[in-house]
Amino acid sequence: MLQFIIRRLLHSILVLLAISVIIFFSIRLTGDPVTVMFAAGEPSPEAIESVRENLGLDEPLPVQYLVFLKNLATFDLGESFRTGLPVTEMVVDKMGATLLLAFGGVFVAMLIAFPVGILSAVKRGTAVDFFGRIFSLIGISFPNFWLGIMLILIFSVNLQWLPASGYDGIEYLILPSIALGMILSGILARLVRSSMLENLSQQYVSTARSKGLKEWVVIMRHTFRNALIPTITFLGIQFGSLLGGTVIIEQVFSWPGVGRMIIDAINQRDYPVIQGGVIMLAMIMVLVNLLVDISYSLIDPRIKAGGGSS
């Protein structure tokens, strides 16, 4: 088990290093941030060079990257080019809102997918199963940004039931959580259905029914409980994808999270904020996947030999 954990930790470190290389060098293809800072005026070349030197942009890119890695090892993500604030504090301040939105999306996905998946499996081959599979297909097909705009149009603009943007209470979380969780609910409903069907064909289900247990007890207490193992694993892995999806949803709903902060930083070419935001999101994704791999290996020892779930 210890060797398995060490192997997964090394794999996670390599993934983070690869992400850091990609994000560090790719954002520098967008142009010089100093030109954005002086967009409203005509500074002298000396002033531009002075700013570049103060920001450390006068060094070769490999040197800048090594400095970035050195600071990253101590969780020092640098300072924002625009505000001068520590990026670590900025990201931590926004991360709570992003995680809240991600958990809201997971909750909506489970709230929708579990009943749909269970009913589709229990009523296999009926109209209920047919409409359940159609719902899953529709949920997967909707782009979350389009769904977010439609939700705002219907429930905020036309019906005026829910707020369209910002965050000042739990009611502000409802629409972005639905927009974020709908795609996941379609995928999750299909997984729950297939896992339920697999368990319904097992011998222990027939034994439970032969003992005279009520059908809902057989379904919920026995079948669904065993079907949850691959489902929970899937949710853990998909949590990272939800964090990535929050970038667009936060922009649509003006949600004050890391995703929106990254978008604003991209527009301003604020390299440290972009790097810090992406790296922190990547760290959470890698950590969640690592915890899923470790917990699943404890449930099923065969996973240790296979090298993990991803």
Side-chain angles (χ1 to χ4, degrees):
M1 184 62 187
L2 181 59
Q3 292 181 350
F4 172 78
I5 294 176
I6 293 175
R7 186 167 63 247
R8 295 302 297 166
L9 280 172
L10 292 175
H11 179 265
S12 300
I13 292 173
L14 290 176
V15 170
L16 289 175
L17 280 175
I19 292 174
S20 70
V21 170
I22 294 172
I23 188 64
F24 183 89
F25 288 99
S26 62
I27 62 176
R28 280 157 176 78
L29 299 176
T30 61
D32 189 352
V34 179
T35 60
V36 178
M37 296 179 184
F38 292 110
E42 296 182 2
S44 64
E46 292 78 11
I48 294 178
E49 189 60 32
S50 176
V51 172
R52 287 179 55 82
E53 183 177 349
N54 291 333
L55 296 178
L57 298 175
D58 58 328
E59 299 287 348
L61 285 181
V63 175
Q64 293 183 40
Y65 177 69
L66 291 176
V67 172
F68 169 69
L69 278 186
K70 178 184 175 182
N71 294 335
L72 183 61
T74 59
F75 292 97
D76 179 6
L77 299 175
E79 296 179 350
S80 168
F81 288 169
R82 303 292 298 184
T83 65
L85 296 174
V87 174
T88 303
E89 294 181 8
M90 294 175 62
V91 174
V92 171
D93 182 59
K94 301 291 186 180
M95 187 60 72
T98 295
L99 291 176
L100 178 63
L101 179 56
F103 281 115
V106 171
F107 177 76
V108 168
M110 293 191 299
L111 192 66
I112 297 173
F114 283 175
V116 171
I118 293 171
L119 286 174
S120 294
V122 173
K123 302 293 184 179
R124 181 181 183 182
T126 66
V128 174
D129 183 26
F130 173 78
F131 284 110
R133 285 182 289 170
I134 290 297
F135 166 79
S136 300
L137 183 61
I138 293 175
I140 296 172
S141 303
F142 277 149
N144 54 14
F145 69 88
W146 180 87
L147 180 60
I149 295 173
M150 291 299 102
L151 290 174
I152 291 174
L153 182 62
I154 296 172
F155 294 101
S156 298
V157 177
N158 293 336
L159 299 177
Q160 297 184 354
W161 287 355
L162 294 167
S165 61
Y167 179 68
D168 192 27
I170 194 65
E171 66 273 14
Y172 288 79
L173 182 62
I174 297 176
L175 292 185
S177 294
I178 294 175
L180 186 63
M182 185 58 69
I183 293 180
L184 180 60
S185 69
I187 303 173
L188 186 59
R190 298 177 68 175
L191 177 62
V192 171
R193 178 183 181 273
S194 62
S195 186
M196 284 289 295
L197 288 175
E198 180 180 351
N199 282 275
L200 283 171
S201 62
Q202 299 299 315
Q203 182 64 39
Y204 73 87
V205 175
S206 301
T207 302
R209 285 171 173 162
S210 66
K211 291 181 179 179
L213 296 178
K214 294 182 179 180
E215 185 66 15
W216 71 269
V217 175
V218 175
I219 297 299
M220 299 305 299
R221 186 174 297 177
H222 296 279
T223 311
F224 181 59
R225 180 179 295 179
N226 289 319
L228 272 179
I229 296 176
T231 303
I232 296 301
T233 304
F234 170 80
L235 281 175
I237 296 173
Q238 288 298 310
F239 187 77
S241 299
L242 277 183
L243 283 177
T246 59
V247 174
I248 302 300
I249 295 300
E250 287 179 6
Q251 193 70 9
V252 172
F253 289 92
S254 297
W255 187 263
V258 177
R260 188 182 177 197
M261 183 185 70
I262 291 175
I263 296 296
D264 292 340
I266 290 174
N267 293 331
Q268 298 169 350
R269 295 178 189 169
D270 197 339
Y271 293 167
V273 176
I274 302 172
Q275 294 166 179
V278 173
I279 289 295
M280 288 293 285
L281 288 177
M283 284 183 176
I284 294 177
M285 294 179 189
V286 170
L287 177 61
V288 170
N289 278 273
L290 177 62
L291 293 176
V292 168
D293 283 339
I294 294 174
S295 61
Y296 201 48
S297 69
L298 293 174
I299 298 172
D300 189 350
R302 294 173 299 177
I303 298 299
K304 298 176 186 177
S309 63
S310 63

